Amino acid sequence: MELVEAIILSVLAASTPLLIAATGELVTERSGVLNLGVEGMMIVGAACGFGGAWLTGSILIGALFGIVAGTLMSLIFALMALGLAVNQVATGLALTILGVGLSGLIGAGFVGERITPAIHLHIPGLTDIPLLGRVLFGEDAFVYFSIALIIGVWWFLYRTRAGLILRACGDNHISTHALGYPVLRIRTLAVMFGGACAGLAGAYLPLAYTPFFIPGMTAGRGWIALALVVFASWRPGRLVVGAYLFGAVTILQLHAQGWGVGIPSQFMSALPYLATVIVLVLLSRARTGGSTAPAALGTVFVPDR
Amino acid sequence: MRKSLLALAAGLLLAGSVSAASAADKLKVGFIYLGPIGDLGWTYQHELARQALVKELGDKIETTYLENVPEGPDAERAIEQLVRAGNKLIFTTSFGYMDPTLKVAKKYPNVHFEHATGYKRDKNMSTYSAKWYQGRYIQGLIAAKMSKSGVLGYIGSFPIPEVVSGINATILAAQTINPNIKVKIIWANTWFDPGKEADAAKALIDQGADVIMQHTDSPAAMQIASERGKLAFGQDSEMIKFGPKTQLTSILDTWGPYYIERVKAELDGAWKSEDSWGGLDSHMFAMAPYTNMPDDVKKIAEDAQAAITAGKLHPFKCPVIGQDGKEVECKGGANLADGQILGMNFYVKGIDDKLPGK
C-alpha cells in the first residue's frame, strides 16, 4: 500500500510540469498558432523562477518570475510570427534555441545555490487519511493548481463566448476576421497565455521538483508537452489523461527496472514516445471523434485592411 | 558619461593590444567543453583543472576554452577554430569528440591533441582517462557498512563498460562486508536529466534501498536521498552542499595535475603521444572527505584507499566470478587485465538483474 502511494505521488509530481506546459500550448494552438518554442520558454522560466525565489526567498515570487519570463519570451514569438508574419515553425524553433542560451546566461550567477523547496500541504486530519490523504491533500500547490488550470481552460474554451471566438480563430481566421473579431489580438493573448504556462511549468522544476538550478534542466520536457497536445487531439480532457499517462509510464518504467523486470531499459525509456505514436495512429484511423486539429493551425494570417 | 565610456573603450583597446603583444611568445592551450561550465559536474571539473593550470603556469601559457560544444560534426569546427587561433595543445574533454579530434589531428600534424576517455590515438593525439572503478570499490565498502536494509540503489547512465565496471567494483567490495548484499539498478539512459535522476532515486528508495549511488551527473539524487533521510554518494564533483547529512563521499574528477604535467611536457618539448589511464596513485581522481559515517567505517575506507593507491589492493582481483557462476578468464595474471576492465560487459555474481543488451 505504501509503495502504491509513493508511486502515485511520484507520478503526480512528474506529470505536473507536462500538464501545465501542455495546457498553455493547447490554448495557443486552439487559436491557430503553432508555437514550437515551449522548451525555450520553459527553460527561461526555470532560470528566472529559480532566480526570483533565490533572491527573495519566496517560492510564490519565484513562480511569478517564471510566469513573467515565459510571457516575455512568448511576446518575442508573437512579434515575429504574428506581427511580422514570419513562418511559425522556424520562429518557434529559434525561440527554443534562444531560450536555451538565455537561461544559461541568466542562471550563470546561481548555479549550485540552494533554496527551500515548495512545501507540501499538510491539512491535519485530511492529509493523514491512508493512501488517498497524501495524494489528495499532501502535494505541493503546483500539483493542484495544474488541475484547476486545465479545468479552467476547459470551461473557458467550451462554456464561454470568448472561448468560442478563440476556437473560431483557430478553425477559420478569415471568417472570424470577416465577422469583425480582432484575430491577431486574440492570437497574441493566446500565445501569451501559452508562454505564461510554459514559464510556470519551467519554474516548477527548480522550485519544487529538484530544488536547484542547472542549465538544461528541462531536458526536453517542452517537447513532450508539445507531443501531448497532439496526443490529446487538442482536447483538455484527453490532455489530463495523456499527461498522467506519460508521468505514469516514466515512473513505472523506473520501478520496473528496480524490480528487475527483464525488459531492456532503453525500450522502457522509449515507452512514453511509443505510446504517443500509437495513439496518433489510432486517432488518424478513427473517422469520427478523431483528430480535431484546428484547421488554421500554423497558417499565417495577414488581415487586409 | 559618453566621455568616460570612450575612455573605457580606449583603455580596453590598449589593454587588449598590450596583452596580445606579450602573449605572442606564450604557449596557447585550448579546451573544448561539452556542457556549460556551471553544470556542477563533468565540465565544471575540467574548468577547475584549467584554472589550476593557469595558476601554476599562467606566466608561460594562455588558455582558451569553448563551452557547450555538441559532440559530433560541430565539434570538428570548434576544434579547428582553436587550431586556427594558434593553440598548440588542445584538450577535448568528452568521449564523443574522439573522431572529430582525430580528424583535425590528422590535418594539423604540428598541433598536439589530448582526448579524454577515448581509445583512438595518433602521433599527435593522446588519450587520458581515470580508473574511477577504484573509487567505486571504496564506495562499495562504505555502502555495505552503512546500509541497514542490505539493499543498495544504483542509478546508471548508459550500460557502457565504464559504468558496468563501476557497478561490479561496488558489489565486489560490498560482498566482502556483507555477502548477501543486494543492489537495485535503474538505468536512466541519460547523463544529465535532474528530474529523471530524482525520479530514479525516489523509486529506489521506495523499493527499500537506503544508500543511493549514481553514475549520472546532477545532484538531484543526492537531494532526494537527503529529503528522505537516506545516504548517498556524489559524482564528479563535491555535492555535500545538496546533502550535508547525506553525502558519504564523492568521486572527484581532478584533472589538474594531469593538465599541468602535460603542458609542462609541451613547454619542454617533451610531449609524446600516450595513453594515460591513471588511478588514485596518479591523482587522476580523488575522494571527497569521508563524512556522515562512524570512525570505524571511515578507517575501512581510508585503509582501502591507501591500499589501492599503493597497488596492494585491486578491485578486480582474480578469480572474478561472473553472473552466470562461471569464473571470468583472468588475462592479467593476478587481476583482470586493463583491457578486460575497459571493455567490461558482464555483471558479477550477486547482482540479481540483467545487463541491458545481454
Side-chain angles (χ1 to χ4, degrees):
Chain A
M1 217 48 169
E2 240 172 60
L3 185 60
V4 173
E5 186 187 76
I7 291 176
I8 295 174
L9 289 173
S10 302
V11 170
L12 280 178
S15 310
T16 296
L18 302 178
L19 184 58
I20 298 176
T23 302
E25 180 67 10
L26 178 92
V27 172
T28 305
E29 293 194 12
R30 267 300 172 105
S31 81
V33 182
L34 181 65
N35 184 354
L36 295 181
V38 179
E39 178 81 4
M41 299 188 291
M42 259 182 98
I43 198 154
V44 171
C48 293
F50 185 87
W54 181 60
L55 291 171
T56 63
S58 157
I59 295 293
L60 185 66
I61 294 179
L64 289 176
F65 267 60
I67 291 172
V68 171
T71 312
L72 289 176
M73 287 290 285
S74 71
L75 276 175
I76 301 177
F77 177 86
L79 181 72
M80 301 294 290
L82 303 178
L84 303 173
V86 179
N87 181 297
Q88 291 179 7
V89 171
T91 311
L93 292 175
L95 194 68
T96 287
I97 298 168
L98 172 72
V100 171
L102 261 184
S103 78
L105 188 69
I106 296 166
F110 37 80
V111 168
E113 295 297 339
R114 292 192 60 188
I115 56 163
T116 316
I119 44 164
H120 288 212
L121 308 180
H122 192 270
I123 306 163
L126 288 177
T127 308
D128 302 326
I129 301 169
L131 190 63
L132 284 180
R134 280 193 59 204
V135 175
L136 292 178
F137 307 106
E139 276 290 336
D140 56 70
F142 289 91
V143 173
Y144 305 109
F145 176 77
S146 68
I147 296 164
L149 182 72
I150 188 75
I151 293 173
V153 162
W154 171 84
W155 176 82
F156 170 79
L157 284 178
Y158 295 101
R159 290 288 180 273
T160 67
R161 188 175 168 77
L164 184 69
I165 297 167
L166 184 136
R167 285 188 287 140
C169 276
D171 284 329
N172 192 331
H173 49 215
I174 294 166
S175 303
T176 315
H177 176 64
L179 286 171
Y181 292 109
V183 173
L184 287 183
R185 199 183 309 160
I186 293 165
R187 284 190 171 168
T188 305
L189 288 172
V191 166
M192 285 169 69
F193 180 75
C197 289
L200 179 67
Y204 176 74
L205 294 168
L207 294 182
Y209 208 58
T210 54
F212 57 81
F213 176 77
I214 289 188
M217 72 183 302
T218 51
R221 285 178 179 74
W223 298 109
I224 299 178
L226 275 167
L228 264 175
V229 177
V230 184
F231 177 98
S233 56
W234 295 269
R235 290 173 185 194
R238 290 185 189 173
L239 194 70
V240 180
V241 176
Y244 287 115
L245 185 71
F246 264 61
V249 175
T250 317
I251 299 298
L252 284 175
Q253 68 99 351
L254 295 173
H255 274 278
Q257 287 194 49
W259 288 317
V261 177
I263 306 167
S265 61
Q266 295 91 335
F267 173 74
M268 288 198 275
S269 284
L271 266 185
Y273 306 95
L274 200 65
T276 312
V277 174
I278 291 170
V279 169
L280 288 181
V281 170
L282 291 179
L283 283 178
S284 67
R285 286 179 66 87
R287 287 288 153 85
T288 50
S291 187
T292 50
L297 182 62
T299 49
V300 165
F301 175 69
V302 185
D304 46 317
R305 278 178 243 269
Chain B
M1 182 64 192
R2 177 175 276 179
K3 215 175 198 174
S4 63
L5 269 180
L6 272 174
L8 186 68
L12 281 175
L13 271 176
L14 202 63
S17 59
V18 167
S19 72
S22 65
D25 47 352
K26 281 184 175 180
L27 172 70
K28 286 182 136 189
V29 183
F31 292 82
I32 300 276
Y33 294 154
L34 179 64
I37 284 170
D39 72 351
L40 286 180
W42 183 256
T43 294
Y44 179 66
Q45 293 301 127
H46 283 285
E47 169 62 12
L48 288 185
R50 186 192 66 83
Q51 289 170 9
L53 175 68
V54 169
K55 212 174 154 202
E56 179 86 13
L57 300 166
D59 50 341
K60 299 192 186 77
I61 59 168
E62 189 186 290
T63 62
T64 324
Y65 60 82
L66 298 177
E67 52 180 337
N68 258 328
V69 178
E71 297 179 327
D74 270 358
E76 204 179 310
R77 265 187 304 154
I79 299 165
E80 202 157 343
Q81 192 184 323
L82 284 184
V83 174
R84 292 224 182 95
N87 290 284
K88 289 292 168 210
L89 180 61
I90 295 170
F91 293 89
T92 56
T93 63
S94 184
F95 181 80
Y97 298 146
M98 181 164 68
D99 290 325
T101 308
L102 189 66
K103 248 174 133 176
V104 181
K106 285 199 187 302
K107 220 164 144 186
Y108 299 95
N110 297 324
V111 178
H112 292 151
F113 296 87
E114 296 257 351
H115 177 241
T117 71
Y119 54 84
K120 291 185 182 169
R121 280 169 288 278
D122 208 337
K123 278 188 294 264
N124 58 333
M125 176 177 168
S126 287
T127 50
Y128 61 103
S129 188
K131 295 178 177 172
W132 292 289
Y133 67 85
Q134 294 179 341
R136 298 205 176 258
Y137 187 87
I138 301 172
Q139 293 187 347
L141 296 174
I142 301 169
K145 272 283 186 190
M146 297 303 292
S147 173
K148 292 191 189 86
S149 64
V151 181
L152 312 179
Y154 209 112
I155 306 170
S157 46
F158 297 96
I160 56 171
E162 182 196 321
V163 182
V164 175
S165 65
I167 295 173
N168 285 339
T170 304
I171 292 312
L172 288 173
Q175 284 170 344
T176 66
I177 307 275
N178 171 5
N180 298 319
I181 196 96
K182 292 261 176 296
V183 62
K184 287 186 179 285
I185 302 163
I186 291 184
W187 296 99
N189 289 309
T190 174
W191 283 107
F192 181 86
D193 178 346
K196 200 165 182 189
E197 293 168 49
D199 289 339
K202 282 182 201 165
L204 289 167
I205 293 171
D206 289 340
Q207 292 190 21
D210 60 354
V211 180
I212 302 297
M213 316 188 160
Q214 60 169 0
H215 207 138
T216 47
D217 288 343
S218 92
M222 173 72 67
Q223 216 169 31
I224 295 296
S226 167
E227 242 174 66
R228 307 245 177 137
K230 308 293 178 194
L231 296 166
F233 295 96
Q235 162 78 2
D236 294 333
S237 292
E238 183 61 272
M239 291 184 177
I240 195 147
K241 183 153 69 163
F242 295 96
K245 295 194 173 125
T246 309
Q247 179 175 297
L248 295 163
T249 182
S250 177
I251 291 176
L252 309 177
D253 304 342
T254 48
W255 306 105
Y258 179 77
Y259 286 175
I260 292 167
E261 183 197 315
R262 299 300 282 178
V263 171
K264 273 186 177 160
E266 179 74 34
L267 285 167
D268 298 343
W271 190 94
K272 275 204 316 271
S273 171
E274 278 170 29
D275 173 30
S276 309
W277 194 36
L280 281 167
D281 54 343
S282 52
H283 307 289
M284 281 301 252
F285 70 92
M287 301 302 285
Y290 299 110
T291 47
N292 295 313
M293 63 184 85
D295 287 343
D296 62 317
V297 182
K298 191 174 171 183
K299 179 147 193 330
I300 291 174
E302 282 166 351
D303 288 351
Q305 183 174 349
I308 291 174
T309 309
K312 287 179 196 149
L313 174 64
H314 195 291
F316 294 108
K317 184 170 172 288
C318 293
V320 173
I321 312 292
Q323 200 175 24
D324 52 5
K326 286 186 206 138
E327 197 177 314
V328 178
E329 189 193 354
C330 193
K331 290 181 180 161
N335 312 307
L336 291 190
D338 281 358
Q340 283 179 297
I341 300 168
L342 284 167
M344 197 167 271
N345 64 348
F346 61 86
Y347 279 150
V348 294
K349 199 178 155 199
I351 298 180
D352 186 22
D353 200 345
K354 254 179 80 181
L355 184 59
K358 285 289 277 185

